[in-house]
Amino acid sequence: DIHYYAQSQMGSRGDAWQKYCKMVSRQFDQSQALVDSALSAIAKHAEENNCKYVLIPGDMTKDGEYEGHKELAQRLELFEEETGIQVLVTNGNHDINNSGASTFINDKEEPARKTSPEEFREIYKNLGFDLAHSFYTPPAGQKAGMLSYSVRLEGGYRLLVLDVCKYSADSSSSGRDEHETAGNITPGLWAWVEGQMAEAKAAGETVIGMMHHNAVKQFGVQESMFQTFVVDNWMETAERLADGGMKFVFTGHTHMTNIAAHTSDNGNMLVDCQSPSLTGFPNHFREVLFDNTGLNPKAEFKTFDVDCVKQITTPSKTFEKPYIYNFSFGQTYGHDGLARFGADMAEGYLGGYLEKIKNSGGLYAFLTGPEVGLDKILDDALKGGLKLGSAEIFTA
């Protein structure tokens, strides 16, 4: 999760920009320097480990700013030219049709140009899409999953890059064309995925995946409290992928350095390899060595600090090593205390609902309106034997 923000959109980096950076946990002001340091380290390490691919599982930009996508794509293409290492990307929930896209070019926060899925594919056409063995094409008139593609990697691997984000009406469980944080694999995309896995199996290829949202629950309360960080019906999804032959999947979204696994009823395991955000503590990137010469494929993980080779240097400052403790931890968790961090998280989850409640004319109007349909819920409950007295609490 790079969450890149274009230098050209920061304006003069004046008071409005500085105030914004202090109010958020992510490190947008340092995003270009963080990318440069990570790529420098990968290039340096590749001289010894022969790294061939860089996988980036979405949230390329702060909030889908068109200029941010363009600037980042140019930097990644330059990296490819300089190193010969191939970069493969996918989109995250922040990247497409995001109404939060903003610019400070006039030294105040204003709406910026959003990015459509078609524009995303054009901007990153040389960063994964150019290597595609197969593309998923949605049914006529639909867009969900349209950025999915597969790549036949060196060494006998089939990488399935899955676009599971909800940025169009046909991808959204609510049926509305709006930015949503949850992920979903539509029936049409499932058919393509299973076809690719069957084809890879017939060719003797090891299947690995990449998508933005977690395919496997990463921690105990994620399913109950942070549902939008896993794909819809995550257990069914994980088992279906595992039974189809997928062994590993690279994900992001939760901003954690973690590995979790789920075993299907048929005894097949899917390992979800999650990497954190590059613009938030702990600012890690990972290097993975795969080995599929044995009976079961293996993967060796190494985790690195973003400034393990090159210091983080912005136009105004060079940060002492280690960056994660000399700046990042305080910016992510402590610049206004953990309470502020919690408030930022709550705003992310509840801000949209609070705005809808306001626009609906109050909580009661929102709950009883067509969006929630509490009246229908209560009617159904009453038919099921709920006492009227209980219903009156909500309807009076």
Side-chain angles (χ1 to χ4, degrees), residues 309-354:
V309 169
K310 179 182 178 181
Q311 285 180 273
I312 309 302
T313 301
T314 69
S316 58
K317 183 176 182 178
T318 295
F319 293 86
E320 293 184 14
K321 293 185 179 182
Y323 173 82
I324 60 172
Y325 296 122
N326 285 318
F327 177 77
S328 178
F329 182 84
Q331 175 66 18
T332 299
Y333 295 110
H335 58 291
D336 281 318
L338 286 174
R340 177 70 255 175
F341 177 76
D344 288 346
M345 289 284 288
E347 170 63 21
Y349 291 118
L350 301 177
Y353 286 105
L354 294 175

Side-chain angles (χ1 to χ4, degrees), residues 56-58 60 88-92 95 120 161-163 210-212:
I56 307 177
M60 309 297 291
L88 299 91
V89 310
T90 190
N91 52 301
D95 289 324
F120 184 96
V161 182
L162 305 184
D163 167 15
M210 177 170 72
M211 59 181 161
H212 184 60

Side-chain angles (χ1 to χ4, degrees), residues 134-145:
S134 174
F135 292 101
Y136 168 63
T137 302
Q142 299 184 12
K143 294 188 177 185

